[in-house]
Amino acid sequence: MFRRREVRDPVNALFKGLTIIAVILLVYVFGFSLAWSLTAMSSGEVNVSELLYALSLSIGTAGASSSLALITSIPISYYLARSEFRGKKLVQTLLLLPLALPPVALGILLFIFFTKSPLGTFINNYLNVVFDVKGLIVAQFAVILPISIRILTSVFSSLNPNYENLALVLGFNRSRALLKVILPMIKNPLMSTYALLFSRALGEFGASVMLAGAIRFRTETIPIALYLAFNSGDLWLTSSIILASMLASATLLLVIQAWEGERVVA
Amino acid sequence: MLKISRLKKSFGARVILDRVSLELARRDLAVLLGPNGVGKTTLLNMVAGILNPDEGEIMIDDEVVFRSAVSGRIEVYVPPAKRLVGLVPEDYALYPHLTVEENIALPLRARGWSRQAVKDRVDYLITLFGLGSYRGYKPHALSSGLKQRVAIARAISYEPKILLLDEPFKSVDPIFKRSIRKELREIISELGITVLMTTHDVEDINFYTDKVFVIINSQIRELSEILSQNNGFKDVLRLSYMLLGPEELRSGCVSGLEDATPDLLNAQSRSGFKHILIIFKTDDVFLTKKRFMSDRLLEIHGVVKDIEASPEGYHLIISSCSQELRLPVSKSYLKLSNFSRGDFVYAYLPEDLVKILFMTS
């Protein structure tokens, strides 16, 4: 039996070396911090209620904002993928602009809108967005909507238009064809997009802090709680939040990868 | 049944179909022949209602489903769902997330059939198309022949007035083409439905001979009419063709054309034709391994790719100018000439028995 020998290739060796270094660094940083946190936890004061509050608030707001973003971006992306009109490039750039903006800047823009503009103050008076849980949802929504539009536009563009056209011949109208045939067909990409949006919303800090503030037991999501706990030197809370969020993101990543593995045959 | 009058469609500055007309009677099985990109699929899509013509009128079963004034203003537009047309696209477009059964049931659900009616109809079609053992399969697990059957079953499930088939044999393995052609003809005659199918393969018109239309120069014409204008091609049976581009003409895979049409290649730049279509009866071909020199013969040369034996006799499959010709040969002549695979052969046609058409698209 012959064993296949690897061809000696300096570029390949370099890439391999870089990958190994990255993995080692990652394991070291994570491992050390985690071990340090665990020892810190054993000597700290117990503050379970704040951890649970932050955890449930994060899951709730991220769930709400990613659902809203997905539902909003489906018609927009479908339209962008299927229609040709003058100034399409401009519209696309405008819709994706928040992606390139630092979240903090986006949060400040939103804050100014809700406190200074006539429309914004009107909405804020009725719905109470600024320094409130609703502000968290709005901030997360603003950050993840462009991501969702970006992904779904490419999903819809890669879909053979024959599927939609045929649905019309088979007896659907355009909106029912989208709802009953096309969306079920792209269920897997939709779910993996949702998971991605959810994980991004879960970690959203910059825009949230600017619009909703960092108020304990009110607008205290996981990253905000982490920021508050770290600044006030509460090691137990800091470490337990890190552990909880690491578990949560690991689960999410596994789910995303499982869904992405099953691509639609289009 | 289907009546298309003065239909015009252009994409940008390019006119695809220029005021074409076409008429089918009930239970007609019509074939629309033409090379790729001449507007066959466009025509089907316009009949189905997916695409709107620039002007003209489409009638299905004495009902106007589309009419547009010369100004381009649409006067009548019936949406695709209401036209009762069955469409089988070239790629079949079976929904990948649905099983065979669910794909067939989809149009019935869309049309609000009751649960029991859907079940009965799907059961009937699955039996009719012999799909019993594939009910729960997803499309990706099916062969192209089976996919086609599912797509046809789905297209006729709601009893459309007309069935449109776009290139039904394009993605079928050449080995199975003959049996699938036969199978499709049997299914169609059993259903008793009006069919309009497109093809770029002249072989197909030997199997579906009721009515053959050709798209030439953005016009639709009936083939029998074109052929009878010239000479004795009254039947389209055993007809074959070659479609050549100017490069292939220059490279000389067909000779003898220089005399048939003087200054052919010079004229090409002036008249702007992109292809020539050579139609002939395969019975008129004389096959030989030796080269003749004659002014009155059209010569096509190529390599024997295969020798086919069938109940109808022997056929040589000859590849010539990036095309395949299937030419009949008697058993005794096959033996005498000692044809075998890889041989270089010459096919000769008397010039007066050949029809040459110039195509601008």
Side-chain angles (χ1 to χ4, degrees):
Chain A
M1 289 290 282
F2 295 97
R3 277 189 60 193
R4 224 182 105 231
R5 280 183 59 185
E6 238 174 280
V7 182
R8 279 171 192 275
D9 179 353
V11 176
N12 192 41
L14 181 70
F15 289 1
K16 191 176 168 185
L18 281 173
T19 313
I20 292 170
I21 291 170
V23 170
I24 291 172
L25 261 176
L26 209 70
V27 169
Y28 181 73
V29 171
F30 269 37
F32 182 84
S33 312
L34 207 63
W36 192 86
S37 305
L38 284 170
T39 47
M41 266 177 93
S42 57
S43 61
E45 259 179 68
V46 181
N47 192 353
V48 188
S49 65
E50 196 167 353
L51 170 68
L52 287 181
Y53 180 83
L55 205 62
S56 54
L57 182 68
S58 268
I59 291 171
T61 53
S65 62
S66 35
S67 307
L68 278 174
L70 196 73
I71 291 168
T72 315
S73 60
I74 284 172
I76 296 174
S77 320
Y78 186 69
Y79 180 70
L80 285 177
R82 286 293 184 246
S83 304
E84 288 302 326
F85 53 90
R86 279 182 66 155
K88 184 176 169 181
K89 275 261 146 59
L90 192 74
V91 171
Q92 267 177 319
T93 316
L94 216 62
L95 282 171
L96 297 181
L97 192 67
L99 262 183
L101 222 59
V104 176
L106 195 63
I108 293 170
L109 287 177
L110 285 171
F111 181 79
I112 294 171
F113 168 75
F114 280 115
T115 53
K116 301 287 177 215
S117 79
L119 179 67
T121 44
F122 177 78
I123 297 172
N124 193 32
N125 283 340
Y126 272 88
L127 292 174
N128 209 8
V129 176
V130 178
F131 299 135
D132 190 82
V133 173
K134 280 166 228 138
L136 289 174
I137 298 175
V138 170
Q140 290 169 1
F141 176 80
V143 170
I144 61 179
L145 183 70
I147 304 174
S148 185
I149 290 176
R150 173 95 214 212
I151 298 174
L152 290 187
T153 307
S154 75
V155 168
F156 282 124
S157 318
S158 67
L159 211 62
N160 185 344
N162 266 358
Y163 286 124
E164 292 140 73
N165 290 337
L166 194 75
L168 302 181
V169 179
L170 292 181
F172 294 94
N173 60 34
R174 232 175 231 289
S175 52
R176 278 188 71 219
L178 181 67
L179 216 61
K180 298 269 179 180
V181 183
I182 303 305
L183 290 185
M185 193 164 109
I186 56 167
K187 195 180 91 204
N188 288 339
L190 281 181
M191 295 217 282
S192 74
T193 307
Y194 184 80
L196 194 78
L197 297 179
F198 186 83
S199 67
R200 183 65 187 81
L202 214 55
E204 164 48 30
F205 176 73
S208 305
V209 148
M210 288 302 143
L211 188 62
I215 308 165
R216 281 186 74 190
F217 282 107
R218 184 149 176 214
T219 59
E220 193 178 6
T221 58
I222 285 176
I224 292 173
L226 205 55
Y227 174 75
L228 291 174
F230 188 72
N231 274 354
S232 63
D234 187 341
L235 283 178
W236 188 91
L237 192 59
T238 313
S239 314
S240 53
I241 293 171
I242 289 175
L243 263 180
S245 52
M246 273 181 82
L247 275 173
S249 34
T251 322
L252 258 177
L253 276 176
L254 283 175
V255 170
I256 293 174
Q257 283 190 335
W259 273 331
E260 279 195 331
E262 271 187 69
R263 276 279 149 110
V264 177
V265 189
Chain B
M1 182 67 235
L2 174 70
K3 195 173 169 213
I4 292 170
S5 349
R6 301 175 50 72
L7 212 62
K8 192 181 168 192
K9 181 72 189 172
S10 42
F11 291 120
R14 202 163 84 92
V15 178
I16 303 285
L17 296 167
D18 193 7
R19 297 192 178 82
V20 297
S21 299
L22 181 150
E23 201 170 339
L24 298 185
R26 202 172 294 273
R27 286 179 166 237
D28 262 354
L29 167 50
V31 174
L32 185 61
L33 175 73
N36 293 325
V38 295
K40 301 185 301 275
T41 307
T42 306
L43 186 82
L44 292 193
N45 285 343
M46 288 193 295
V47 174
I50 296 168
L51 211 62
N52 274 350
D54 299 340
E55 56 179 83
E57 186 185 83
I58 302 170
M59 277 172 84
I60 298 172
D61 213 12
D62 298 328
E63 187 203 346
V64 178
V65 295
F66 181 89
R67 185 191 292 143
S68 162
V70 181
S71 62
R73 197 171 58 84
I74 294 172
E75 288 166 350
V76 182
Y77 172 73
V78 177
K82 300 248 157 63
R83 290 193 187 187
L84 268 186
V85 163
L87 176 66
V88 178
E90 192 187 315
D91 56 7
Y92 309 135
L94 296 174
Y95 294 106
H97 63 301
L98 300 179
T99 62
V100 167
E101 205 171 350
E102 290 164 342
N103 261 294
I104 299 174
L106 190 71
L108 306 177
R109 298 227 166 90
R111 286 161 196 275
W113 288 35
S114 74
R115 195 176 285 262
Q116 189 58 41
V118 171
K119 196 189 166 296
D120 291 346
R121 182 70 178 155
V122 170
D123 283 346
Y124 165 74
L125 288 167
I126 279 185
T127 320
L128 179 70
F129 284 83
L131 292 164
S133 39
Y134 304 101
R135 285 185 93 108
Y137 280 47
K138 294 268 174 78
H140 65 85
L142 303 177
S143 70
S144 56
L146 284 169
K147 276 184 196 158
Q148 188 187 56
R149 277 197 247 166
V150 178
I152 295 173
R154 182 179 64 181
I156 61 156
S157 63
Y158 46 98
E159 293 175 326
K161 294 169 182 166
I162 181 167
L163 178 62
L164 307 171
L165 300 170
D166 195 9
E167 297 274 2
F169 310 109
K170 203 169 188 179
S171 50
V172 171
D173 195 312
I175 305 168
F176 303 119
K177 249 185 193 169
R178 287 166 60 77
S179 61
I180 285 179
R181 277 186 185 120
K182 200 166 146 260
E183 191 183 288
L184 184 63
R185 198 174 47 190
E186 281 165 9
I187 290 172
I188 289 169
S189 67
E190 196 170 324
L191 293 168
I193 190 172
T194 314
V195 176
L196 177 60
M197 74 162 81
T198 67
T199 182
H200 70 287
D201 186 355
V202 165
E203 272 285 296
D204 286 338
I205 64 180
N206 293 329
F207 291 83
Y208 304 98
T209 54
D210 298 23
K211 231 173 194 179
V212 180
F213 296 95
V214 189
I215 302 190
I216 301 170
N217 301 339
S218 311
Q219 296 290 328
I220 295 180
R221 297 174 66 190
E222 210 165 327
L223 185 66
S224 56
E225 177 198 320
I226 297 172
L227 298 177
S228 62
Q229 274 171 13
N230 190 38
N231 51 47
F233 297 137
K234 286 206 178 55
D235 60 328
V236 288
L237 271 166
R238 285 191 282 281
L239 209 60
S240 201
Y241 88 129
M242 292 191 76
L243 185 68
L244 299 174
E247 300 77 29
E248 287 166 315
L249 278 177
R250 281 194 202 93
S251 67
C253 17
V254 171
S255 48
L257 269 178
E258 302 83 357
D259 300 319
T261 46
D263 300 324
L264 188 74
L265 294 176
N266 294 336
Q268 190 245 318
S269 49
R270 268 182 277 127
S271 60
F273 73 87
K274 296 208 180 81
H275 292 94
I276 67 162
L277 179 68
I278 305 170
I279 305 177
F280 50 89
K281 261 164 96 173
T282 50
D283 288 354
D284 294 332
V285 176
F286 176 65
L287 274 167
T288 165
K289 285 210 269 191
K290 252 213 232 111
R291 189 166 192 181
F292 285 101
M293 291 295 177
S294 168
D295 300 342
R296 287 171 294 105
L297 290 176
L298 184 77
E299 180 195 284
I300 301 165
H301 47 250
V303 177
V304 178
K305 268 189 76 181
D306 208 353
I307 300 167
E308 226 180 61
S310 70
E312 305 153 33
Y314 289 86
H315 285 92
L316 287 190
I317 312 294
I318 292 163
S319 96
S320 167
C321 297
S322 69
Q323 289 179 66
E324 263 184 27
L325 289 174
R326 190 168 167 273
L327 302 174
V329 61
S330 72
K331 192 179 177 182
S332 53
Y333 188 66
L334 186 71
K335 225 170 198 175
L336 187 77
S337 308
N338 198 20
F339 290 122
S340 54
R341 238 180 253 189
D343 278 354
F344 205 81
V345 291
Y346 299 90
Y348 288 100
L349 283 154
E351 263 168 17
D352 50 338
L353 296 180
V354 177
K355 175 79 182 162
I356 296 166
L357 300 168
F358 298 92
M359 310 177 97
T360 49
S361 53

